Amino acid sequence: MHRAALSGSQFQAGNLWKTLPLALLMCITFTLPALAQEKEKLWRTLTVSGRGVEMIPTTLSQISLGVEIQGKTAQEVQQEAARRSSSVVALLKRQNVEKLETTGIRLNPVYSYNNNVQRITGYAANNTVSFRIATDKAGTLLDDAVKAGATQINSISFVANEEAIASAQKQALKEATQDAQQQADAVFSALGLKPKEVVNIQVNNASAPPPPILYRAEAAKVSNADASTPVIGGEQQVEASVTLQISY
C-alpha cells in the first residue's frame, strides 16, 4: 500500500511537469503582444512643453524696519532700543498690519583702534521687524514708523495677495497646457500624422517667483508733516509649464 501511494504521487507530479510548460507558453503568448503594444506606444510619441505666464498687480508691500541705537553701555543702548521698538510695534499693531514678526535682535560692541590697540568705546543695539500692509497705505505708515522711533528702512518689496496668486497659477497652467497642445497640433499637421492620445502629463511648475528687494536705506526725519513717502507697487509674474507626451 505504501508503494501504491508513492506511485500515485509520482504520477501526479509527472503530469504537473507536463502541463506546466503549456501554461507558461499560454501566459507568454498573451503577455508578449501587450508588451509590444506598450513599447510601440512609447516609441511613437511626441513630447512638447508649453509655457503660461500671467501678470497680476501687486497690492501688498513686504517691509522690514529697524531701530538702531548706539551708546556707552550695553544696558543703556539695549533699553533704549527696546523702548523705541515697542513704540514702533505698537504703531504697527494699531494699523493692523499682516504677518508682523521680529526678524532680528542684536547687541554688539563698538571698537576703536589706536596704535594698533583695539578697545571698546561703546555698544550698538539693533532690533528689526517685518510685516505686510496694503501698498496704498505703506508710505504714510513708513513716515509714522520713523516718528515712532524707527531709524532704518531695511527693505521693501511688493507682492500680490494669496487669492490673486492662486487664481493666476490656475490660469497659467491652463495657458501652458493649451500652448503645448497647439505646438503638438502644428507638428502633427506639418508631418501629416494623426495624434492618438496623451500618454503622459508632467506639470513642471506653477509658481510666483519671490519679489525682489527694492532698496535698503537709513530712515530720514520727516520734514513736512503733510507729505508722505511715495510707495508705488508694480506687477508680479506667475508662470507655469506643462509637458505632454502624445502617441501617434
Side-chain angles (χ1 to χ4, degrees):
M1 293 179 66
H2 178 69
R3 289 181 179 179
L6 180 61
S7 176
S9 299
Q10 291 175 342
F11 176 75
Q12 292 176 1
N15 287 341
L16 176 62
W17 283 106
K18 290 179 181 180
T19 58
L20 185 59
L22 179 60
L24 289 175
L25 180 60
M26 292 177 64
C27 179
I28 294 172
T29 301
F30 285 110
T31 303
L32 285 178
L35 292 175
Q37 292 175 3
E38 290 298 320
K39 287 183 178 180
E40 182 181 0
K41 182 184 294 185
L42 292 176
W43 287 338
R44 295 176 56 86
T45 58
L46 172 68
T47 301
V48 289
S49 294
R51 182 170 178 264
V53 177
E54 281 288 296
M55 302 299 295
I56 54 178
T58 55
T59 56
L60 297 173
S61 294
Q62 179 75 39
I63 299 173
S64 174
L65 292 178
V67 173
E68 184 173 23
I69 302 296
Q70 293 189 12
K72 293 183 178 181
T73 67
Q75 183 178 7
E76 173 190 349
V77 297
Q78 183 66 19
Q79 289 179 348
E80 180 62 16
R83 185 188 68 79
R84 291 198 184 189
S85 297
S86 296
S87 178
V88 172
V89 169
L91 167 69
L92 298 177
K93 288 183 176 180
R94 289 196 301 269
Q95 296 297 323
N96 296 319
V97 300
E98 300 177 2
K99 299 186 177 182
L100 175 62
E101 63 177 344
T102 298
T103 54
I105 298 177
R106 297 199 308 271
L107 176 64
N108 300 313
V110 177
Y111 297 97
S112 67
Y113 297 87
N114 188 12
N115 296 325
N116 294 325
V117 176
Q118 174 182 291
R119 55 188 294 266
I120 297 176
T121 57
Y123 292 86
N126 185 286
N127 296 349
T128 58
V129 295
S130 68
F131 59 93
R132 283 187 180 183
I133 190 172
T135 298
D136 58 1
K137 298 179 181 179
T140 301
L141 181 61
L142 287 175
D143 298 334
D144 291 341
V146 173
K147 293 177 183 178
T151 61
Q152 293 177 326
I153 300 173
N154 296 319
S155 65
I156 181 170
S157 57
F158 302 108
V159 294
N161 62 55
E162 295 178 358
E163 292 78 8
I165 292 176
S167 177
Q169 286 175 336
K170 293 178 182 178
Q171 183 62 27
L173 279 173
K174 182 179 180 180
E175 293 175 1
T177 304
Q178 293 173 344
D179 180 37
Q181 186 65 64
Q182 290 171 1
Q183 292 184 53
D185 292 343
V187 172
F188 286 131
S189 177
L191 297 177
L193 301 172
K194 292 184 178 181
K196 292 182 180 179
E197 61 178 331
V198 177
V199 297
N200 188 37
I201 302 173
Q202 181 179 352
V203 178
N204 299 321
N205 61 64
S207 61
I213 296 176
L214 298 184
Y215 69 83
R216 177 183 176 89
E218 295 295 324
K221 292 183 179 180
V222 180
S223 58
N224 187 342
D226 296 329
S228 62
T229 302
V231 178
I232 303 173
E235 288 186 320
Q236 184 172 4
Q237 178 175 297
V238 179
E239 59 183 37
S241 61
V242 173
T243 300
L244 302 179
Q245 191 173 21
I246 305 172
S247 63
Y248 60 92

